[in-house]
Amino acid sequence: MKKSVLFGALTVAGLTAGVAAAGTLDDVKARGKLNCGVTTGLVGFAAPDANGEWKGFDVAVCRAVAAAVLGDATAVEFVPTTGKTRFTALASGEIDMLARNTTWTFSRDVDLKFTFVGVNYYDGQGFMVPKALGVSSAKDLDGATVCIQTGTTTELNLADFFRSNNISYEPVPIETNAEAQQQYLSEACDVYTTDASGLASTRATFEAPDDHMLLPEIISKEPLGPLVRHGDNEWGDVVRWTLNALITAEELGVTSANMAEMGAGTNNPEINRLLGTEGTLGEMLGLNADWAMQALSVAGNYGEIFEQNIGESTPIGLARGLNAQWTDGGLLYSPPFR
Amino acid sequence: MSTLTDPPKGSFRLSTLVNDTRYRSYTFQFIALIVLVGVIAYLMSNLFSNLAAAGLNISYQFLGSPAGYDINQTLIEYNSQSTNRRAALVGILNTLLVAFLACITATILGVIAGILRLSNNWLVAKLMAFYVEIFRNIPVLIWIIIIFTIMIAVLPGPKAFRGDMPSASMVLDAVAFTNRGVYIPAPIWGAGSLIVVAVFIFSIIGCFAYRRYATNLLYDKGRLLPMGWPSAVILIIPVILTFFFMGKPIGLDYPALKGFNFSGGVKVGGPLIALWFALSIYTGAFIAENVRAGIQAISKGQSEAAGALGLRQGRIMKLVIMPQALRVIIPPLISQYLNITKNSSLAIAVGYADVTATLGGITLNQTGRAIECVLLLMLFYLTISLSISAIMNVYNNSVKLKER
Amino acid sequence: MSDTSAAFVRTEPVPPSPPPSSAMGPVKWAKDNLFSTPFYIFLTFFATYVIYLILSNTLPWMLKGVWTTSSLAECREVLDGVSGGCFSILTERWNQLLFGFKYPADQYWRPALTFLFFFAAAAPVLFFKMPRKFLMFTGIFPFVAYYLIWGGSIWTPILVLVGLVFGYWVYRLLVSKSFAAGFFGGIVTAIIIWAVGDSLISDKANVGVFLQAVPSRDLGGFMLNMMLGVVCVSLSVPLGIALALGRQSNMPLIKWICVVFIEFIRGVPLITLLFVASVMLAYFFPPGTTTDLFLRVVIMITVFSGAYIAEVIRGGLAALPSGQYEAADSLGLDYAQAMRLIILPQALKISIPGIVNVAVGLFKDTTLVSVISMFDLIGMIRGPILAATEWNGVYWELLGFAAILFFVVCYGISQYSQWLERQLATDHQ
């Protein structure tokens, strides 16, 4: 529904009738754009570059979904959200999906009524300290001042960790990652804690990254993944299987380089089903047959996206670790395309 | 307006409802009521159908469940297992604390700047005009961020106090200024300290009694007793005597560098200081303008007349100008206090745990109960504002010029 | 006294000799204004010291600033330990600071042109001596500005304009009979035209696109502050008038509604209203519709400043002598006529300085939208720019730039307000 501001205003006044709530998939198709909620700026995951172009790991998921649904990776409207606004933005329909390093928890799933469609990054909460502090374990942090991003699960994990280890700390709540950096670097806090991936991404932007280290303790499980509203299963399926397509493609060795070739048909029936040359998987989702091709053509499979945005060749330099394919001893395990 | 003749009975038409002044106001109010009820019903039905569609409900049960997060600056006992209600209470107290502190300092700053701006000293007057204009015309949010950044970037971290040749040291070995906050000595209340406090309270009462006695004596008999040093003596001597007599029951707990931070003493957190300071100088600029306007509103004849009676400059200000100027100054002053309280909600920008940051921030985020939290938050501020306005109305009525 | 033997008689008066140097010129001025009493001498020295402190810390920093590097590290290299500002962030990111990071760079001329038009449109409102004909341009400006900023189909603003013109025409036609008939007739006409026009153009939404459409989410930077300030102030004046009249009304129900509304809005901080806009308001719209954040924020800020302006106008209404009301009644004017022709013109004139003060306050408060993840000037600074790898650690240059921008605008408006107050002070001459 392409509506101008004015007619939005008229709608507010109740002068034009409200549009009946159709499925999100139909809405997105009718609108021709995907509204995707992202963070306000975390380099590597989602951040606008100097030209205002959104780049990052979460952004790539949004683009893949847009490409699968609309066939156009640029048909995405990125809506920056804070920890506070993200859930309401999704619940109120302002965004169609949220890909903002959001942890899958019981209460968010059940109480807040969201559907997590999968995990695109297995993370855990870590601590970063200056090397000069001479700390080698998080258990040595008794009495330390800790910077945390407020509104995240890290705040609760932190309280639990210090409480269960019976040591004290002083929390310094901070709204954005940029301010956390500022405070941490000027030593207004001894420790900065957030998801280990976020720490790595933050450290990469420092002038002297080597003066800082991550402590070995990972104090929580943080499965980060995209989420959609409860109750719209068709849409949830589209996002879920787009993510799975990226993961499966890596498992099956489909890359952006050999995709065109494989798209012509291979001996492996699963690849054929994935790429739409065999079976009617796309139709079942309500999409074109080449939906997965489109999603993969944006930036390649999961592994390629990982390498481009946060992998070891980037300044962020994250190892695959838990996020390797199950065949390589990681946790990534997509259900089969059948 | 009144109609000259009553319209004949029995000729009721629909237009009578609008055109007849006896019914018109009822008609309009009835229409307004219908529209109001309609709008509210419309919004509520939207709200409930939206909530139903999202599978949510309105419930305040989260207030009783454990908050799960820690707060760095609390006035009352609090830990991460306390309830969300308690976290909100911590926030409310913190809001009131920073608002109270900022009101006091803003008043002091504002009165000084307002009077100095009227000073005959050209340089000082211009400097004060500069202060007022610079602070009034730049958003308070920018000031809060600037002052917080100054605090963080300019003051040393605790590390600077460490080592054999520390690059920073404590003032008088008692107060440490760090970028995490200011550490000041805390009193330790030993046995018998209550007596000292009680004596101190009695001294204050005694001091006031003496001043009243001296004033009455001046008015009744015309005898002038000295005011300054006797009050000081009454205030200080008995307390000091009791203090030593009881064997120094009140000690001081000095902050000392221990581990990562200073421990001991009282920590006044950096965010609190930044917010307090920013609100004070920002609002101080507005108060300065109110004070200046109040003083200028008193006609020059008043001070000339007082001068002709032989009063000295200080007494003219105190006895003639100020009592009249206060009547003009106080109402806008109180609305500035209201503004401080409302602006303290910007604490969120510096991470001070006021009620907007606890109830409207972390609790809202962690529980996802946006509607409930925002409503409670508005209710709190509304209560504060309405109570302050009520006080202001009482004051206004009490100082109103009694017209006969 | 007849003795005339004096050797010298002055026949003309002594020419006045110049006053001694201690009683004139700069010396006298300094003596009177700087060194008249010991306390003043102390104050003067103290003030000089304060000024010295401020200047000695900021001047070298400003003068030695670097304007041409592309990252902080490079800038620090150029500075080589000398204290100086890295103003190159301003030269590199000025476009983001002014227009936000999403507004298409080749379209910057559109907001810039709107900004120029804004002055032309505001001038006849601000300066009463200008010919009234220029008000025509002020009337058209909102539509021109809307189209320039948002672009898209040109039919949208044209349709709105046509609806308003016809509405006004009907109003003029009917107002001589009754104000209510004219008022509501005008509104109904406009709505009919909009509804008809909407159905005509909605399927041709892509017709007449002369300027690339820019979604309001892409607005940002100082432009967003300006737009929020201008839009909300102009919308809130009519709202404020309605609320003020309602509060003065002698119909208890209407009065009660207005009082509750005004006191409620004035009793809560703007930031909670912005929370309402960002996390609550969406629930109050019809299911299935979404309204963009910009519009929601405009609604809340308008409501906010409307309540404050209502109080200012109420002050203006209360300041009018009751003779004015009685005179209007005795002329046989009804309520709408009396308000329109007699009361409001005078009350508004008294209230203008107060309204301007509210406008300045509101303009400063538009920075609060950065708290709800809108990228206004402050949002840009605290968000994307500070997070950028190459500019990690630049604060003073950015915050100083923001402070200067706001100071220039707010100081300008407040000077205008004082000038206006002098112009309007016609009663004490």
Side-chain angles (χ1 to χ4, degrees), chain C residues 97-377:
Chain C
L97 289 169
L98 292 185
F99 301 109
F101 65 91
K102 289 274 280 186
Y103 206 89
D106 52 342
Q107 307 286 326
Y108 283 158
W109 61 271
R110 284 160 51 179
L113 191 65
T114 315
F115 187 61
L116 288 182
F117 281 170
F118 169 68
F119 281 107
V125 182
L126 297 182
F127 304 102
F128 302 120
K129 301 227 168 78
M130 289 190 54
R132 296 290 85 189
K133 268 187 208 156
F134 287 134
L135 277 175
M136 278 289 285
F137 184 71
T138 313
I140 299 173
F141 173 73
F143 306 100
V144 177
Y146 168 81
Y147 191 64
L148 275 175
I149 299 265
W150 276 278
S153 169
I154 199 167
W155 294 109
T156 314
I158 287 186
L159 177 66
V160 177
L161 182 60
V162 168
L164 283 184
V165 168
F166 272 92
Y168 183 68
W169 179 66
V170 170
Y171 165 80
R172 287 295 292 268
L173 219 59
L174 295 178
V175 75
S176 54
K177 292 202 188 86
S178 140
F179 176 78
F183 185 70
F184 292 109
I187 290 181
V188 169
T189 315
I191 289 175
I192 289 174
I193 290 180
W194 287 336
V196 171
D198 186 28
S199 60
L200 284 182
I201 63 165
S202 61
D203 37 311
K204 306 191 206 67
N206 295 325
V207 178
V209 180
F210 296 111
L211 291 176
Q212 177 192 344
V214 179
S216 47
R217 195 171 284 120
D218 293 356
L219 308 175
F222 194 60
M223 174 178 77
L224 185 62
N225 294 111
M226 289 291 286
M227 284 172 55
L228 284 174
V230 172
V231 171
C232 296
V233 168
S234 26
L235 289 179
S236 60
V237 170
L239 178 67
I241 294 176
L243 284 173
L245 289 179
R247 196 171 179 168
Q248 290 266 307
S249 159
N250 45 20
M251 297 182 223
L253 184 74
I254 290 179
K255 181 174 178 171
W256 180 77
I257 293 173
C258 291
V259 168
V260 168
F261 186 83
I262 293 174
E263 291 304 325
F264 176 78
I265 298 292
R266 279 162 44 93
V268 299
L270 177 59
I271 201 159
T272 58
L273 292 178
L274 291 177
F275 284 168
V276 170
S278 73
V279 302
M280 263 174 79
L281 208 54
Y283 288 116
F284 289 101
F285 289 147
T289 53
T290 57
T291 336
D292 64 9
L293 186 59
F294 181 80
L295 186 62
R296 280 182 277 153
V297 166
V298 164
I299 292 175
M300 291 324 283
I301 299 186
T302 304
V303 163
F304 180 76
S305 63
Y308 281 82
I309 288 182
E311 285 300 276
V312 172
I313 294 177
R314 186 168 74 111
L317 288 173
L320 281 192
S322 56
Q324 296 289 335
Y325 294 86
E326 286 156 9
D329 280 351
S330 67
L331 284 175
L333 300 180
D334 65 18
Y335 178 78
Q337 286 169 327
M339 285 300 146
R340 212 155 40 87
L341 302 173
I342 302 211
I343 305 299
L344 277 181
Q346 300 183 69
L348 285 182
K349 186 178 138 186
I350 307 175
S351 327
I352 285 178
I355 294 178
V356 174
N357 281 345
V358 173
V360 173
L362 181 82
F363 179 63
K364 288 187 292 174
D365 281 347
T366 56
T367 50
L368 265 58
V369 298
S370 64
V371 176
I372 54 164
S373 77
M374 279 177 98
F375 291 106
D376 75 322
L377 183 57

Side-chain angles (χ1 to χ4, degrees), chain B residues 194-259:
Chain B
L194 263 185
I195 299 178
V196 179
V197 174
V199 168
F200 182 62
I201 292 173
F202 278 117
S203 316
I204 294 177
I205 296 173
C207 184
F208 273 104
Y210 171 77
R211 293 180 80 100
R212 164 162 289 188
Y213 166 74
T215 316
N216 285 341
L217 200 67
L218 178 67
Y219 289 172
D220 296 344
K221 307 258 169 68
R223 266 182 59 207
L224 190 61
L225 285 186
M227 280 277 206
W229 63 265
S231 334
V233 165
I234 295 176
L235 206 58
I236 296 170
I237 301 288
V239 179
I240 293 186
L241 284 182
T242 348
F243 180 72
F244 284 104
F245 183 70
M246 298 294 299
K248 300 188 192 171
I250 304 175
L252 280 181
D253 177 21
Y254 290 101
L257 198 57
K258 210 162 122 193

Side-chain angles (χ1 to χ4, degrees), chain C residues 9 38 42 49 91 111 123 143 197 235 240 257 383 391 401 413 418 424:
Chain C
V9 171
F42 165 74
Y49 178 67
T91 50
F143 306 100
L235 289 179
I257 293 173
W391 291 114
F401 178 68
I413 304 178
Q418 287 175 15
L424 293 179

Side-chain angles (χ1 to χ4, degrees), chain A residues 11-14 83-85 87-88 91 107-108 111-113 132-133 135 140-145 148 150-160 162-163 169-175 179 182-183 186-190 230, chain B residues 42 50 53-57 67-72 79-81 148-149 152-153 155-160 162 179-180 183 259-262 267 271 348-353 356-357 360-362 364-370:
Chain A
T11 317
V12 175
K84 178 178 288 152
T85 55
F87 295 127
T88 3
S107 64
R108 285 174 180 172
D111 189 31
L112 296 185
K113 314 281 185 210
L133 203 60
V135 171
D140 301 340
L141 289 174
D142 192 12
T145 304
I148 14 163
T150 119
T152 57
T153 47
T154 54
E155 214 164 12
L156 307 181
N157 298 332
L158 186 71
D160 288 353
F162 277 86
R163 193 179 169 77
Y169 73 108
E170 268 189 40
V172 178
I174 286 153
E175 281 271 300
E179 280 161 55
Q182 178 193 357
Q183 298 219 16
S186 54
E187 289 175 5
C189 43
D190 301 304
H230 242 330
Chain B
Y42 176 71
N50 276 321
L56 297 171
N57 59 349
Y69 57 91
D70 284 297
I71 298 176
N72 50 6
N79 64 39
S80 61
Q81 295 304 300
F148 188 53
T149 313
I152 286 181
L155 290 180
K159 203 172 74 178
R162 208 171 280 138
N179 59 2
R180 294 174 190 180
Y183 296 83
F260 296 98
N261 277 314
F262 282 88
K267 179 191 176 189
I348 202 163
V350 289
Y352 176 66
T356 313
I362 308 178
L364 188 158
N365 288 333
Q366 300 299 2
T367 60
R369 298 279 173 192

Side-chain angles (χ1 to χ4, degrees), chain A residues 50 77 88 94 179 181-182, chain C residues 96 217 279 382 392 395:
Chain A
E77 192 71 54
T88 3
E94 192 185 344
E179 280 161 55
Q181 280 175 30
Q182 178 193 357
Chain C
Q96 293 197 351
R217 195 171 284 120
V279 302
R382 295 176 74 199
N392 217 314
Y395 312 112

